[in-house]
Amino acid sequence: MTIIKRTPARAGVLMATAALALGALAGHAEARSANISSWNSRSDCNVNSRYDLCLYYSPNAKNAAYRTTLLKVGDLGTKRFGSSGAGHGQKVRNNAASAQNGTVCNVGIWYSTNYRGDSNWLSPHKGGNLTSWMRNNEASIAVSDHTRCPGLGH
């Protein structure tokens, strides 16, 4: 009698384990990526400026800006928006709405630290508004172009 009672319980545990394994596989989706290049980079973040990567608190490169000469920033949580306007002094991580690329390389902006997860990217010398799923959800930024710029950035 004891053997008969244990068999359904073991079968239930086995089925639950299989369901969890399938759920984990189904939940692992490919990261999304979108090219957001919409305009030529403006004077505050282009080939003639000293800055390579720029993030802005508002769409269309407006209000407070985070500008850097670093070719990769693995955690934007330690950085703050400078300049003036809305967002001045706020942390950059999870607060940006637009970006500009002042380099000759492609630049990526990622959802997670250390260049992981969903991303938006900019072509050389371009700016754009972050997609709805990346706006206020960015954590890292870097040159990410192994064809034009091998060995630079991420």
Side-chain angles (χ1 to χ4, degrees), residues 105-133:
C105 313
N106 289 321
V107 167
I109 304 143
W110 287 269
Y111 178 84
S112 297
T113 58
N114 298 315
Y115 328 106
R116 294 174 295 140
D118 292 343
S119 65
N120 284 176
W121 62 279
L122 291 164
S123 300
H125 311 298
K126 294 291 185 178
N129 294 323
L130 300 179
T131 59
S132 61
W133 40 273

PDB file of all heavy atoms in Angstrom, residues 105-133:
ATOM      1  N   CYS A 105      32.122  55.405 -34.309  1.00  0.00           N
ATOM      2  CA  CYS A 105      31.734  54.017 -34.043  1.00  0.00           C
ATOM      3  C   CYS A 105      30.244  53.937 -33.698  1.00  0.00           C
ATOM      4  O   CYS A 105      29.634  54.941 -33.349  1.00  0.00           O
ATOM      5  CB  CYS A 105      32.509  53.485 -32.834  1.00  0.00           C
ATOM      6  SG  CYS A 105      34.271  53.815 -32.852  1.00  0.00           S
ATOM      7  N   ASN A 106      29.676  52.733 -33.761  1.00  0.00           N
ATOM      8  CA  ASN A 106      28.338  52.525 -33.226  1.00  0.00           C
ATOM      9  C   ASN A 106      28.415  52.572 -31.707  1.00  0.00           C
ATOM     10  O   ASN A 106      29.416  52.164 -31.113  1.00  0.00           O
ATOM     11  CB  ASN A 106      27.775  51.168 -33.658  1.00  0.00           C
ATOM     12  CG  ASN A 106      27.427  51.129 -35.127  1.00  0.00           C
ATOM     13  OD1 ASN A 106      26.920  52.097 -35.678  1.00  0.00           O
ATOM     14  ND2 ASN A 106      27.706  50.017 -35.771  1.00  0.00           N
ATOM     15  N   VAL A 107      27.360  53.060 -31.073  1.00  0.00           N
ATOM     16  CA  VAL A 107      27.295  53.157 -29.614  1.00  0.00           C
ATOM     17  C   VAL A 107      26.037  52.439 -29.142  1.00  0.00           C
ATOM     18  O   VAL A 107      24.969  52.601 -29.724  1.00  0.00           O
ATOM     19  CB  VAL A 107      27.263  54.639 -29.174  1.00  0.00           C
ATOM     20  CG1 VAL A 107      26.868  54.772 -27.712  1.00  0.00           C
ATOM     21  CG2 VAL A 107      28.612  55.287 -29.410  1.00  0.00           C
ATOM     22  N   GLY A 108      26.181  51.645 -28.075  1.00  0.00           N
ATOM     23  CA  GLY A 108      25.041  50.946 -27.494  1.00  0.00           C
ATOM     24  C   GLY A 108      24.667  51.528 -26.147  1.00  0.00           C
ATOM     25  O   GLY A 108      25.516  52.043 -25.414  1.00  0.00           O
ATOM     26  N   ILE A 109      23.374  51.452 -25.833  1.00  0.00           N
ATOM     27  CA  ILE A 109      22.833  51.867 -24.538  1.00  0.00           C
ATOM     28  C   ILE A 109      22.035  50.669 -24.041  1.00  0.00           C
ATOM     29  O   ILE A 109      21.119  50.214 -24.732  1.00  0.00           O
ATOM     30  CB  ILE A 109      21.919  53.103 -24.686  1.00  0.00           C
ATOM     31  CG1 ILE A 109      22.684  54.245 -25.359  1.00  0.00           C
ATOM     32  CG2 ILE A 109      21.366  53.541 -23.334  1.00  0.00           C
ATOM     33  CD1 ILE A 109      21.847  55.050 -26.297  1.00  0.00           C
ATOM     34  N   TRP A 110      22.371  50.137 -22.862  1.00  0.00           N
ATOM     35  CA  TRP A 110      21.769  48.894 -22.384  1.00  0.00           C
ATOM     36  C   TRP A 110      20.883  49.084 -21.168  1.00  0.00           C
ATOM     37  O   TRP A 110      21.113  49.960 -20.337  1.00  0.00           O
ATOM     38  CB  TRP A 110      22.869  47.887 -22.034  1.00  0.00           C
ATOM     39  CG  TRP A 110      23.536  47.306 -23.226  1.00  0.00           C
ATOM     40  CD1 TRP A 110      23.189  46.172 -23.895  1.00  0.00           C
ATOM     41  CD2 TRP A 110      24.678  47.827 -23.903  1.00  0.00           C
ATOM     42  NE1 TRP A 110      24.040  45.967 -24.944  1.00  0.00           N
ATOM     43  CE2 TRP A 110      24.963  46.975 -24.977  1.00  0.00           C
ATOM     44  CE3 TRP A 110      25.482  48.956 -23.717  1.00  0.00           C
ATOM     45  CZ2 TRP A 110      26.026  47.194 -25.844  1.00  0.00           C
ATOM     46  CZ3 TRP A 110      26.524  49.178 -24.587  1.00  0.00           C
ATOM     47  CH2 TRP A 110      26.789  48.301 -25.628  1.00  0.00           C
ATOM     48  N   TYR A 111      19.930  48.172 -21.043  1.00  0.00           N
ATOM     49  CA  TYR A 111      18.977  48.123 -19.937  1.00  0.00           C
ATOM     50  C   TYR A 111      19.670  47.782 -18.615  1.00  0.00           C
ATOM     51  O   TYR A 111      19.304  48.300 -17.573  1.00  0.00           O
ATOM     52  CB  TYR A 111      17.902  47.073 -20.252  1.00  0.00           C
ATOM     53  CG  TYR A 111      16.882  46.882 -19.166  1.00  0.00           C
ATOM     54  CD1 TYR A 111      15.783  47.725 -19.087  1.00  0.00           C
ATOM     55  CD2 TYR A 111      17.011  45.866 -18.228  1.00  0.00           C
ATOM     56  CE1 TYR A 111      14.831  47.559 -18.093  1.00  0.00           C
ATOM     57  CE2 TYR A 111      16.069  45.695 -17.237  1.00  0.00           C
ATOM     58  CZ  TYR A 111      14.976  46.545 -17.171  1.00  0.00           C
ATOM     59  OH  TYR A 111      14.042  46.384 -16.178  1.00  0.00           O
ATOM     60  N   SER A 112      20.656  46.898 -18.658  1.00  0.00           N
ATOM     61  CA  SER A 112      21.336  46.445 -17.440  1.00  0.00           C
ATOM     62  C   SER A 112      22.777  46.942 -17.400  1.00  0.00           C
ATOM     63  O   SER A 112      23.345  47.337 -18.421  1.00  0.00           O
ATOM     64  CB  SER A 112      21.332  44.916 -17.375  1.00  0.00           C
ATOM     65  OG  SER A 112      20.019  44.429 -17.293  1.00  0.00           O
ATOM     66  N   THR A 113      23.355  46.878 -16.220  1.00  0.00           N
ATOM     67  CA  THR A 113      24.754  47.250 -16.065  1.00  0.00           C
ATOM     68  C   THR A 113      25.631  46.292 -16.864  1.00  0.00           C
ATOM     69  O   THR A 113      25.220  45.186 -17.198  1.00  0.00           O
ATOM     70  CB  THR A 113      25.178  47.223 -14.580  1.00  0.00           C
ATOM     71  OG1 THR A 113      24.938  45.918 -14.066  1.00  0.00           O
ATOM     72  CG2 THR A 113      24.435  48.270 -13.770  1.00  0.00           C
ATOM     73  N   ASN A 114      26.823  46.740 -17.127  1.00  0.00           N
ATOM     74  CA  ASN A 114      27.832  45.945 -17.823  1.00  0.00           C
ATOM     75  C   ASN A 114      27.367  45.420 -19.170  1.00  0.00           C
ATOM     76  O   ASN A 114      27.665  44.283 -19.545  1.00  0.00           O
ATOM     77  CB  ASN A 114      28.346  44.826 -16.920  1.00  0.00           C
ATOM     78  CG  ASN A 114      29.007  45.398 -15.690  1.00  0.00           C
ATOM     79  OD1 ASN A 114      29.786  46.346 -15.782  1.00  0.00           O
ATOM     80  ND2 ASN A 114      28.661  44.863 -14.529  1.00  0.00           N
ATOM     81  N   TYR A 115      26.574  46.255 -19.882  1.00  0.00           N
ATOM     82  CA  TYR A 115      26.262  46.030 -21.287  1.00  0.00           C
ATOM     83  C   TYR A 115      25.464  44.745 -21.537  1.00  0.00           C
ATOM     84  O   TYR A 115      25.779  43.956 -22.415  1.00  0.00           O
ATOM     85  CB  TYR A 115      27.566  46.047 -22.118  1.00  0.00           C
ATOM     86  CG  TYR A 115      28.596  46.988 -21.520  1.00  0.00           C
ATOM     87  CD1 TYR A 115      29.709  46.517 -20.840  1.00  0.00           C
ATOM     88  CD2 TYR A 115      28.386  48.367 -21.575  1.00  0.00           C
ATOM     89  CE1 TYR A 115      30.617  47.383 -20.262  1.00  0.00           C
ATOM     90  CE2 TYR A 115      29.289  49.243 -20.998  1.00  0.00           C
ATOM     91  CZ  TYR A 115      30.399  48.752 -20.337  1.00  0.00           C
ATOM     92  OH  TYR A 115      31.289  49.611 -19.756  1.00  0.00           O
ATOM     93  N   ARG A 116      24.405  44.562 -20.749  1.00  0.00           N
ATOM     94  CA  ARG A 116      23.562  43.368 -20.871  1.00  0.00           C
ATOM     95  C   ARG A 116      22.096  43.753 -21.039  1.00  0.00           C
ATOM     96  O   ARG A 116      21.668  44.819 -20.628  1.00  0.00           O
ATOM     97  CB  ARG A 116      23.705  42.481 -19.630  1.00  0.00           C
ATOM     98  CG  ARG A 116      25.085  41.863 -19.469  1.00  0.00           C
ATOM     99  CD  ARG A 116      25.239  41.116 -18.175  1.00  0.00           C
ATOM    100  NE  ARG A 116      25.137  42.090 -17.084  1.00  0.00           N
ATOM    101  CZ  ARG A 116      24.504  41.882 -15.940  1.00  0.00           C
ATOM    102  NH1 ARG A 116      23.928  40.755 -15.697  1.00  0.00           N
ATOM    103  NH2 ARG A 116      24.459  42.810 -15.028  1.00  0.00           N
ATOM    104  N   GLY A 117      21.352  42.857 -21.633  1.00  0.00           N
ATOM    105  CA  GLY A 117      19.907  43.026 -21.760  1.00  0.00           C
ATOM    106  C   GLY A 117      19.504  43.792 -23.008  1.00  0.00           C
ATOM    107  O   GLY A 117      20.266  43.920 -23.963  1.00  0.00           O
ATOM    108  N   ASP A 118      18.265  44.275 -23.004  1.00  0.00           N
ATOM    109  CA  ASP A 118      17.742  45.054 -24.120  1.00  0.00           C
ATOM    110  C   ASP A 118      18.646  46.255 -24.371  1.00  0.00           C
ATOM    111  O   ASP A 118      19.306  46.746 -23.452  1.00  0.00           O
ATOM    112  CB  ASP A 118      16.326  45.549 -23.817  1.00  0.00           C
ATOM    113  CG  ASP A 118      15.310  44.421 -23.754  1.00  0.00           C
ATOM    114  OD1 ASP A 118      15.596  43.316 -24.250  1.00  0.00           O
ATOM    115  OD2 ASP A 118      14.221  44.658 -23.204  1.00  0.00           O
ATOM    116  N   SER A 119      18.640  46.736 -25.626  1.00  0.00           N
ATOM    117  CA  SER A 119      19.505  47.873 -25.940  1.00  0.00           C
ATOM    118  C   SER A 119      18.934  48.732 -27.054  1.00  0.00           C
ATOM    119  O   SER A 119      18.074  48.301 -27.822  1.00  0.00           O
ATOM    120  CB  SER A 119      20.897  47.388 -26.349  1.00  0.00           C
ATOM    121  OG  SER A 119      20.831  46.652 -27.557  1.00  0.00           O
ATOM    122  N   ASN A 120      19.404  49.949 -27.086  1.00  0.00           N
ATOM    123  CA  ASN A 120      19.215  50.863 -28.204  1.00  0.00           C
ATOM    124  C   ASN A 120      20.614  51.166 -28.705  1.00  0.00           C
ATOM    125  O   ASN A 120      21.585  51.063 -27.954  1.00  0.00           O
ATOM    126  CB  ASN A 120      18.563  52.172 -27.762  1.00  0.00           C
ATOM    127  CG  ASN A 120      17.072  52.066 -27.502  1.00  0.00           C
ATOM    128  OD1 ASN A 120      16.461  53.031 -27.075  1.00  0.00           O
ATOM    129  ND2 ASN A 120      16.451  50.921 -27.747  1.00  0.00           N
ATOM    130  N   TRP A 121      20.725  51.517 -29.973  1.00  0.00           N
ATOM    131  CA  TRP A 121      22.056  51.875 -30.470  1.00  0.00           C
ATOM    132  C   TRP A 121      21.961  53.009 -31.466  1.00  0.00           C
ATOM    133  O   TRP A 121      20.916  53.262 -32.050  1.00  0.00           O
ATOM    134  CB  TRP A 121      22.800  50.677 -31.021  1.00  0.00           C
ATOM    135  CG  TRP A 121      22.188  49.983 -32.201  1.00  0.00           C
ATOM    136  CD1 TRP A 121      21.168  49.070 -32.177  1.00  0.00           C
ATOM    137  CD2 TRP A 121      22.551  50.136 -33.565  1.00  0.00           C
ATOM    138  NE1 TRP A 121      20.887  48.652 -33.443  1.00  0.00           N
ATOM    139  CE2 TRP A 121      21.718  49.287 -34.323  1.00  0.00           C
ATOM    140  CE3 TRP A 121      23.489  50.906 -34.230  1.00  0.00           C
ATOM    141  CZ2 TRP A 121      21.807  49.188 -35.704  1.00  0.00           C
ATOM    142  CZ3 TRP A 121      23.588  50.805 -35.612  1.00  0.00           C
ATOM    143  CH2 TRP A 121      22.757  49.947 -36.326  1.00  0.00           C
ATOM    144  N   LEU A 122      23.090  53.704 -31.558  1.00  0.00           N
ATOM    145  CA  LEU A 122      23.213  54.870 -32.432  1.00  0.00           C
ATOM    146  C   LEU A 122      24.334  54.642 -33.438  1.00  0.00           C
ATOM    147  O   LEU A 122      25.423  54.181 -33.074  1.00  0.00           O
ATOM    148  CB  LEU A 122      23.541  56.118 -31.614  1.00  0.00           C
ATOM    149  CG  LEU A 122      22.443  56.637 -30.704  1.00  0.00           C
ATOM    150  CD1 LEU A 122      23.017  57.616 -29.689  1.00  0.00           C
ATOM    151  CD2 LEU A 122      21.350  57.292 -31.519  1.00  0.00           C
ATOM    152  N   SER A 123      24.082  55.004 -34.670  1.00  0.00           N
ATOM    153  CA  SER A 123      25.113  54.987 -35.706  1.00  0.00           C
ATOM    154  C   SER A 123      26.100  56.121 -35.429  1.00  0.00           C
ATOM    155  O   SER A 123      25.805  57.038 -34.653  1.00  0.00           O
ATOM    156  CB  SER A 123      24.461  55.198 -37.073  1.00  0.00           C
ATOM    157  OG  SER A 123      23.534  54.172 -37.341  1.00  0.00           O
ATOM    158  N   PRO A 124      27.275  56.098 -36.063  1.00  0.00           N
ATOM    159  CA  PRO A 124      28.251  57.169 -35.847  1.00  0.00           C
ATOM    160  C   PRO A 124      27.655  58.556 -36.120  1.00  0.00           C
ATOM    161  O   PRO A 124      26.925  58.746 -37.095  1.00  0.00           O
ATOM    162  CB  PRO A 124      29.352  56.845 -36.867  1.00  0.00           C
ATOM    163  CG  PRO A 124      29.250  55.367 -37.054  1.00  0.00           C
ATOM    164  CD  PRO A 124      27.789  55.060 -36.963  1.00  0.00           C
ATOM    165  N   HIS A 125      27.946  59.486 -35.233  1.00  0.00           N
ATOM    166  CA  HIS A 125      27.550  60.900 -35.353  1.00  0.00           C
ATOM    167  C   HIS A 125      26.031  61.097 -35.399  1.00  0.00           C
ATOM    168  O   HIS A 125      25.560  62.034 -36.027  1.00  0.00           O
ATOM    169  CB  HIS A 125      28.185  61.550 -36.586  1.00  0.00           C
ATOM    170  CG  HIS A 125      29.643  61.309 -36.694  1.00  0.00           C
ATOM    171  ND1 HIS A 125      30.532  61.744 -35.743  1.00  0.00           N
ATOM    172  CD2 HIS A 125      30.374  60.654 -37.632  1.00  0.00           C
ATOM    173  CE1 HIS A 125      31.750  61.381 -36.089  1.00  0.00           C
ATOM    174  NE2 HIS A 125      31.685  60.721 -37.224  1.00  0.00           N
ATOM    175  N   LYS A 126      25.275  60.234 -34.741  1.00  0.00           N
ATOM    176  CA  LYS A 126      23.810  60.340 -34.752  1.00  0.00           C
ATOM    177  C   LYS A 126      23.265  60.494 -33.335  1.00  0.00           C
ATOM    178  O   LYS A 126      23.900  60.133 -32.351  1.00  0.00           O
ATOM    179  CB  LYS A 126      23.163  59.106 -35.392  1.00  0.00           C
ATOM    180  CG  LYS A 126      23.454  58.948 -36.862  1.00  0.00           C
ATOM    181  CD  LYS A 126      22.758  60.019 -37.659  1.00  0.00           C
ATOM    182  CE  LYS A 126      22.923  59.819 -39.147  1.00  0.00           C
ATOM    183  NZ  LYS A 126      22.230  60.815 -39.925  1.00  0.00           N
ATOM    184  N   GLY A 127      22.054  61.033 -33.253  1.00  0.00           N
ATOM    185  CA  GLY A 127      21.333  61.151 -32.001  1.00  0.00           C
ATOM    186  C   GLY A 127      19.944  60.573 -32.170  1.00  0.00           C
ATOM    187  O   GLY A 127      19.472  60.386 -33.296  1.00  0.00           O
ATOM    188  N   GLY A 128      19.297  60.296 -31.044  1.00  0.00           N
ATOM    189  CA  GLY A 128      17.944  59.766 -31.130  1.00  0.00           C
ATOM    190  C   GLY A 128      17.285  59.670 -29.770  1.00  0.00           C
ATOM    191  O   GLY A 128      17.951  59.760 -28.732  1.00  0.00           O
ATOM    192  N   ASN A 129      15.974  59.508 -29.784  1.00  0.00           N
ATOM    193  CA  ASN A 129      15.194  59.303 -28.563  1.00  0.00           C
ATOM    194  C   ASN A 129      15.167  57.817 -28.241  1.00  0.00           C
ATOM    195  O   ASN A 129      15.005  56.988 -29.147  1.00  0.00           O
ATOM    196  CB  ASN A 129      13.770  59.827 -28.738  1.00  0.00           C
ATOM    197  CG  ASN A 129      13.738  61.325 -28.906  1.00  0.00           C
ATOM    198  OD1 ASN A 129      14.502  62.053 -28.282  1.00  0.00           O
ATOM    199  ND2 ASN A 129      12.858  61.803 -29.764  1.00  0.00           N
ATOM    200  N   LEU A 130      15.327  57.482 -26.969  1.00  0.00           N
ATOM    201  CA  LEU A 130      15.274  56.085 -26.562  1.00  0.00           C
ATOM    202  C   LEU A 130      13.878  55.530 -26.827  1.00  0.00           C
ATOM    203  O   LEU A 130      12.885  56.259 -26.752  1.00  0.00           O
ATOM    204  CB  LEU A 130      15.629  55.945 -25.083  1.00  0.00           C
ATOM    205  CG  LEU A 130      17.029  56.433 -24.677  1.00  0.00           C
ATOM    206  CD1 LEU A 130      17.236  56.269 -23.184  1.00  0.00           C
ATOM    207  CD2 LEU A 130      18.107  55.709 -25.442  1.00  0.00           C
ATOM    208  N   THR A 131      13.802  54.237 -27.147  1.00  0.00           N
ATOM    209  CA  THR A 131      12.514  53.593 -27.388  1.00  0.00           C
ATOM    210  C   THR A 131      11.687  53.582 -26.109  1.00  0.00           C
ATOM    211  O   THR A 131      12.217  53.782 -25.011  1.00  0.00           O
ATOM    212  CB  THR A 131      12.704  52.135 -27.857  1.00  0.00           C
ATOM    213  OG1 THR A 131      13.424  51.428 -26.846  1.00  0.00           O
ATOM    214  CG2 THR A 131      13.422  52.056 -29.189  1.00  0.00           C
ATOM    215  N   SER A 132      10.400  53.307 -26.238  1.00  0.00           N
ATOM    216  CA  SER A 132       9.512  53.292 -25.063  1.00  0.00           C
ATOM    217  C   SER A 132       9.965  52.262 -24.033  1.00  0.00           C
ATOM    218  O   SER A 132       9.795  52.471 -22.838  1.00  0.00           O
ATOM    219  CB  SER A 132       8.070  53.015 -25.493  1.00  0.00           C
ATOM    220  OG  SER A 132       7.978  51.747 -26.117  1.00  0.00           O
ATOM    221  N   TRP A 133      10.557  51.186 -24.457  1.00  0.00           N
ATOM    222  CA  TRP A 133      10.995  50.152 -23.517  1.00  0.00           C
ATOM    223  C   TRP A 133      12.392  50.398 -22.958  1.00  0.00           C
ATOM    224  O   TRP A 133      12.841  49.684 -22.068  1.00  0.00           O
ATOM    225  CB  TRP A 133      10.881  48.754 -24.135  1.00  0.00           C
ATOM    226  CG  TRP A 133      11.273  48.645 -25.577  1.00  0.00           C
ATOM    227  CD1 TRP A 133      10.458  48.850 -26.658  1.00  0.00           C
ATOM    228  CD2 TRP A 133      12.549  48.307 -26.114  1.00  0.00           C
ATOM    229  NE1 TRP A 133      11.166  48.663 -27.820  1.00  0.00           N
ATOM    230  CE2 TRP A 133      12.444  48.322 -27.524  1.00  0.00           C
ATOM    231  CE3 TRP A 133      13.776  47.996 -25.545  1.00  0.00           C
ATOM    232  CZ2 TRP A 133      13.503  48.038 -28.363  1.00  0.00           C
ATOM    233  CZ3 TRP A 133      14.835  47.715 -26.384  1.00  0.00           C
ATOM    234  CH2 TRP A 133      14.690  47.732 -27.775  1.00  0.00           C
TER     235      TRP A 133
END
